[in-house]
CSV table of all heavy atoms in Angstrom, one decimal:
chain,number,residue,atom,x,y,z
A,12,ARG,N,-89.8,150.7,133.6
A,12,ARG,CA,-89.4,152.0,133.3
A,12,ARG,C,-89.8,152.3,131.9
A,12,ARG,O,-90.0,151.4,131.0
A,12,ARG,CB,-87.9,152.2,133.4
A,12,ARG,CG,-87.2,151.2,132.5
A,12,ARG,CD,-85.7,151.1,132.5
A,12,ARG,NE,-85.2,150.2,131.5
A,12,ARG,CZ,-85.2,148.9,131.7
A,12,ARG,NH1,-85.6,148.4,132.8
A,12,ARG,NH2,-84.7,148.1,130.7
A,21,GLY,N,-83.0,147.2,121.9
A,21,GLY,CA,-82.4,146.0,122.6
A,21,GLY,C,-82.7,146.1,124.1
A,21,GLY,O,-82.4,145.2,124.9
A,25,LEU,N,-90.0,145.4,129.9
A,25,LEU,CA,-91.1,144.6,130.4
A,25,LEU,C,-90.6,143.3,131.1
A,25,LEU,O,-89.8,142.6,130.4
A,25,LEU,CB,-92.0,144.3,129.3
A,25,LEU,CG,-92.8,145.4,128.7
A,25,LEU,CD1,-93.3,145.1,127.3
A,25,LEU,CD2,-93.9,146.0,129.6
A,57,VAL,N,-95.0,152.2,127.1
A,57,VAL,CA,-93.7,151.7,127.1
A,57,VAL,C,-92.7,152.7,126.5
A,57,VAL,O,-91.6,153.0,127.1
A,57,VAL,CB,-93.5,150.4,126.2
A,57,VAL,CG1,-92.1,149.9,126.1
A,57,VAL,CG2,-94.4,149.3,126.8
A,133,ARG,N,-104.7,147.2,143.7
A,133,ARG,CA,-104.8,145.9,144.2
A,133,ARG,C,-103.6,145.0,143.9
A,133,ARG,O,-103.6,143.8,144.2
A,133,ARG,CB,-106.1,145.2,143.7
A,133,ARG,CG,-107.4,146.0,143.7
A,133,ARG,CD,-107.9,146.2,145.1
A,133,ARG,NE,-109.0,147.2,145.1
A,133,ARG,CZ,-108.8,148.5,145.2
A,133,ARG,NH1,-107.6,149.0,145.5
A,133,ARG,NH2,-109.8,149.3,145.1
A,154,ALA,N,-107.0,139.4,137.2
A,154,ALA,CA,-107.1,140.8,137.5
A,154,ALA,C,-108.3,141.0,138.4
A,154,ALA,O,-109.2,140.3,138.5
A,154,ALA,CB,-107.3,141.5,136.1
A,206,GLY,N,-104.7,147.7,114.4
A,206,GLY,CA,-105.9,147.0,114.9
A,206,GLY,C,-107.1,147.9,115.0
A,206,GLY,O,-108.3,147.5,114.7
A,210,ALA,N,-110.4,147.7,112.6
A,210,ALA,CA,-111.7,147.4,113.2
A,210,ALA,C,-112.8,148.4,112.6
A,210,ALA,O,-113.9,148.1,112.4
A,210,ALA,CB,-111.7,147.5,114.7
A,234,LEU,N,-103.6,143.9,103.4
A,234,LEU,CA,-104.4,143.3,104.5
A,234,LEU,C,-105.8,144.0,104.5
A,234,LEU,O,-106.9,143.2,104.6
A,234,LEU,CB,-103.8,143.6,105.9
A,234,LEU,CG,-102.9,142.5,106.5
A,234,LEU,CD1,-102.3,143.0,107.7
A,234,LEU,CD2,-103.8,141.2,106.7
A,235,ALA,N,-105.9,145.2,104.3
A,235,ALA,CA,-107.2,145.9,104.3
A,235,ALA,C,-108.1,145.4,103.2
A,235,ALA,O,-109.3,145.2,103.3
A,235,ALA,CB,-107.0,147.4,104.3
A,251,GLU,N,-102.6,162.6,95.8
A,251,GLU,CA,-102.3,162.8,94.4
A,251,GLU,C,-103.6,162.6,93.5
A,251,GLU,O,-103.9,163.3,92.6
A,251,GLU,CB,-101.2,161.9,94.0
A,251,GLU,CG,-100.3,162.3,92.9
A,251,GLU,CD,-99.2,161.2,92.7
A,251,GLU,OE1,-98.3,161.2,93.5
A,251,GLU,OE2,-99.4,160.3,91.9
A,263,ALA,N,-104.1,156.5,113.4
A,263,ALA,CA,-102.7,156.3,113.3
A,263,ALA,C,-101.9,156.8,114.5
A,263,ALA,O,-100.9,156.2,115.0
A,263,ALA,CB,-102.1,156.9,112.1
A,278,PRO,N,-115.7,168.5,101.5
A,278,PRO,CA,-116.5,169.7,102.0
A,278,PRO,C,-117.7,169.2,102.7
A,278,PRO,O,-118.4,168.4,102.2
A,278,PRO,CB,-116.7,170.6,100.9
A,278,PRO,CG,-115.6,170.2,99.9
A,278,PRO,CD,-115.4,168.8,100.1
A,291,ASP,N,-96.6,166.4,122.8
A,291,ASP,CA,-96.0,167.6,122.2
A,291,ASP,C,-96.2,167.6,120.7
A,291,ASP,O,-95.7,168.5,120.0
A,291,ASP,CB,-94.5,167.7,122.6
A,291,ASP,CG,-93.7,166.6,122.1
A,291,ASP,OD1,-94.3,165.6,121.7
A,291,ASP,OD2,-92.5,166.6,122.3
A,309,VAL,N,-113.9,166.0,114.8
A,309,VAL,CA,-114.3,165.4,116.1
A,309,VAL,C,-113.3,164.5,116.7
A,309,VAL,O,-112.7,163.6,116.0
A,309,VAL,CB,-115.6,164.6,115.8
A,309,VAL,CG1,-116.2,164.0,117.1
A,309,VAL,CG2,-116.6,165.3,115.0
A,331,LYS,N,-124.1,137.4,113.1
A,331,LYS,CA,-124.7,137.3,111.8
A,331,LYS,C,-123.6,137.0,110.7
A,331,LYS,O,-123.9,137.0,109.5
A,331,LYS,CB,-125.4,138.6,111.4
A,331,LYS,CG,-126.7,138.8,112.2
A,331,LYS,CD,-127.4,140.1,111.8
A,331,LYS,CE,-128.6,140.3,112.5
A,331,LYS,NZ,-128.8,141.7,113.0
A,356,LEU,N,-95.0,145.5,116.9
A,356,LEU,CA,-96.1,146.5,116.8
A,356,LEU,C,-95.4,147.8,116.3
A,356,LEU,O,-96.0,148.5,115.4
A,356,LEU,CB,-96.8,146.7,118.1
A,356,LEU,CG,-98.0,147.7,118.1
A,356,LEU,CD1,-99.0,147.3,117.1
A,356,LEU,CD2,-98.6,147.7,119.5
Side-chain angles (χ1 to χ4, degrees):
R12 59 185 181 280
L25 295 161
V57 176
R133 310 288 169 271
L234 264 174
E251 213 175 276
D291 59 354
V309 181
K331 288 180 183 140
L356 182 58

